[in-house]
Amino acid sequence: MAADNAAEDDAEASSVATGHRFAAALREKGLSVIAEIKRRSPSRGALRADADAADLASEYKAGGAACLSVLTESERFSGSPEDLQAAKAVTGLPVLRKDFLRTLDDVRDSHAMGADALLVILADIDPSQLPPMQELALSLGIDVLTEVRDEAEFEVAVDVGAYMIAINQRDNPESTKFTVDYDKAVRVSRRFEGIDDGILLVAASGIGVPGGTPMKAIVEAGYHAALIGEALVTADDPPALLRELLADAE
């Protein structure tokens, strides 16, 4: 009976789905930026503890962000579903729910809170779980960004049908130790040759920070987008920094 109810809920939700706005926004000409709203992280502690999600989202839009990324988990990131909803309402930009999501119920919850996309970290699930999660999400009008951490995971993601893949340059995003391999995105890009041209490629972590991966290198490596968090969250003038980073990508 529970399965029947879930199927009915999915069918009803699908009827009001707004479409796959997130992936479409990243296909615009040039390198797109997914700008992240995050008050704190497990590794760095408070980043911008008093950040107002709506205000920060508006600044990101003014700077040229194509999409937003919002942490909705409270304990580790001081986020909330209301942050996602406020950011989307004030800007109209597509929003990624960037939490640790592992189940079909997480997909349904993401849809219920208004997310246009959700993150699935490949290392957090059995790869066989990705196709059903992706199928459900797509039926609800939600895109799925699959995160990988190395070349082997990238190939697995492609094999199981991921169509939007983020290469996270952080060695372990859940660790309390902050370690970023600034060459990883470029190194993994050597595996892009021969893959489906329809796969959207996103570089994440270590971009826009002093000494980090240059935007030009991300473009030349074949990425469609860069997900930028800490650099923008902690910037004195997020719109100005975002415009500067986008100019560097041209």
Side-chain angles (χ1 to χ4, degrees):
M1 182 64 69
D4 291 341
N5 289 339
E8 291 174 4
D9 290 344
D10 295 343
E12 181 179 353
S14 182
S15 69
V16 297
T18 58
H20 308 294
R21 300 174 61 235
F22 191 88
L26 299 185
R27 290 193 180 280
E28 297 296 325
K29 183 179 179 180
L31 185 75
S32 299
V33 167
I34 306 165
E36 188 159 279
I37 296 170
K38 178 170 63 175
R39 294 187 182 88
R40 63 174 291 113
S41 75
S43 61
R44 299 298 297 270
L47 298 173
R48 192 167 178 172
D50 61 349
D52 180 275
D55 289 346
L56 194 52
S58 295
E59 291 188 75
Y60 289 163
K61 182 176 183 179
C67 296
L68 303 174
S69 169
V70 179
L71 280 297
T72 70
E73 195 269 335
S74 60
E75 183 176 349
R76 285 170 286 191
F77 299 100
S78 299
S80 71
E82 289 74 23
D83 288 337
L84 186 151
Q85 292 158 357
K88 182 174 179 177
V90 76
T91 64
L93 293 177
V95 182
L96 168 75
R97 182 187 179 195
K98 191 173 175 282
D99 293 309
F100 302 115
L101 308 177
R102 302 175 174 89
T103 69
L104 294 178
D105 282 342
D106 288 334
V107 176
R108 297 184 184 100
D109 289 345
S110 300
H111 177 267
M113 70 177 63
D116 297 284
L118 59 89
L119 180 77
V120 176
I121 300 173
L122 192 65
D124 284 354
I125 63 170
D126 186 295
S128 65
Q129 292 176 258
L130 182 62
M133 291 181 71
Q134 189 165 271
E135 181 178 0
L136 174 59
L138 291 172
S139 77
L140 298 175
I142 305 175
D143 283 305
V144 176
L145 179 61
T146 303
E147 179 183 300
V148 302
R149 300 175 191 172
D150 55 35
E151 293 90 337
E153 287 188 3
F154 175 76
E155 293 184 359
V156 171
V158 172
D159 287 343
V160 296
Y163 67 96
M164 188 163 56
I165 303 175
I167 286 76
N168 193 331
Q169 299 195 113
R170 176 103 179 254
D171 289 332
N172 182 359
E174 294 185 69
S175 173
T176 57
K177 183 179 179 181
F178 187 77
T179 55
V180 176
D181 179 353
Y182 296 116
D183 297 320
K184 185 190 293 186
V186 173
R187 189 170 64 247
V188 175
S189 73
R190 296 168 189 155
R191 302 294 180 93
F192 294 171
E193 186 175 354
I195 67 167
D196 184 350
D197 289 340
I199 295 179
L200 275 163
L201 301 165
V202 179
S205 295
I207 303 165
V209 297
T213 311
M215 292 287 278
K216 195 69 174 179
I218 296 299
V219 174
E220 292 173 350
Y223 288 88
H224 301 92
L227 195 157
I228 304 177
E230 180 185 337
L232 292 173
V233 171
T234 60
D236 292 332
D237 188 341
L241 176 58
L242 185 46
R243 284 191 287 267
E244 179 183 333
L245 291 171
L246 286 168
D248 289 343
E250 294 178 353

